[in-house]
Amino acid sequence: MSDTIITSRLEGTTLVVETDSNRETYDSQFLVAALLIFVARGGGAIEPEETAKMLDLIQQHFQLRGAESLELLTRAMSELAEKPELGDLLAELGRSLSDADKEDIAVMALKVIAADGQRKVSEMEKFNEAVEAVGVSPEIVHRAFDRYFAETMPGDL
């Protein structure tokens, strides 16, 4: 069942959304899960390797247990399906994050894109769309790529 969003507002680092049936809050953990899902869906279906990578990244970044990471991803998928306009509201929350947080999110998104061993243009387009929506500057995106390659490429021979 789809809930219509009536109002939304930022309260610090939390997005508060009121629908015709209840009040929900969304934090940076939810934002990260939603962004990773958005990027992973860029290639069509989310591949098992992408799901595993998202679970791992969320678990490590937020020091969550595996079940909590799975619950967060599942909630993000269902909430985004029920409230399509939620993505734009989450972008507003994303713009309030620090540059360091934005860089971390960009690196995680790059790792999800690479998880299935395929480079899909559609996923990179979704990546660009996502980082633009949350206000990640080109300099931060550049640093995120540098970090991604530093963390994933084998050392000099």
Side-chain angles (χ1 to χ4, degrees):
M1 183 176 98
S2 178
D3 276 339
T4 303
I5 294 176
I6 298 171
T7 63
S8 66
R9 66 186 175 284
L10 283 179
E11 291 182 359
T13 58
T14 303
L15 173 66
V16 179
V17 173
E18 296 191 29
T19 65
D20 42 0
S21 63
N22 66 358
R23 177 180 187 262
E24 292 284 341
T25 58
Y26 304 95
D27 59 11
S28 61
Q29 290 181 357
F30 184 91
L31 170 67
V32 169
L35 279 171
L36 295 180
I37 290 166
F38 177 77
V39 170
R41 280 188 176 153
I46 298 175
E47 299 297 328
E49 300 90 352
E50 293 169 328
T51 301
K53 181 55 82 175
M54 287 188 288
L55 287 169
D56 182 51
L57 290 167
I58 289 170
Q59 186 175 345
Q60 287 179 21
H61 188 74
F62 296 113
Q63 287 88 44
L64 297 175
R65 294 186 320 237
E68 292 171 315
S69 297
L70 179 58
E71 184 179 319
L72 179 60
L73 276 175
T74 303
R75 178 179 174 228
M77 284 184 179
S78 64
E79 292 276 338
L80 290 169
E82 292 173 12
K83 301 177 185 93
E85 65 273 26
L86 186 58
D88 292 336
L89 300 174
L90 287 170
E92 185 179 337
L93 173 61
R95 288 188 291 273
S96 72
L97 296 176
S98 72
D99 287 351
D101 287 338
K102 290 176 183 179
E103 183 179 330
D104 288 345
I105 292 169
V107 171
M108 287 188 277
L110 291 170
K111 289 179 179 180
V112 169
I113 290 169
D116 63 359
Q118 300 176 28
R119 288 183 221 123
K120 297 178 184 156
V121 171
S122 56
E123 287 177 333
M124 284 308 299
E125 288 171 347
K126 290 296 183 182
F127 170 83
N128 289 332
E129 197 177 319
V131 295
E132 184 177 322
V134 297
V136 181
S137 71
E139 295 80 20
I140 294 171
V141 171
H142 184 76
R143 284 198 316 255
F145 271 100
D146 286 347
R147 260 183 61 197
Y148 168 77
F149 288 118
E151 292 174 16
T152 59
M153 298 301 286
D156 292 298
L157 297 176

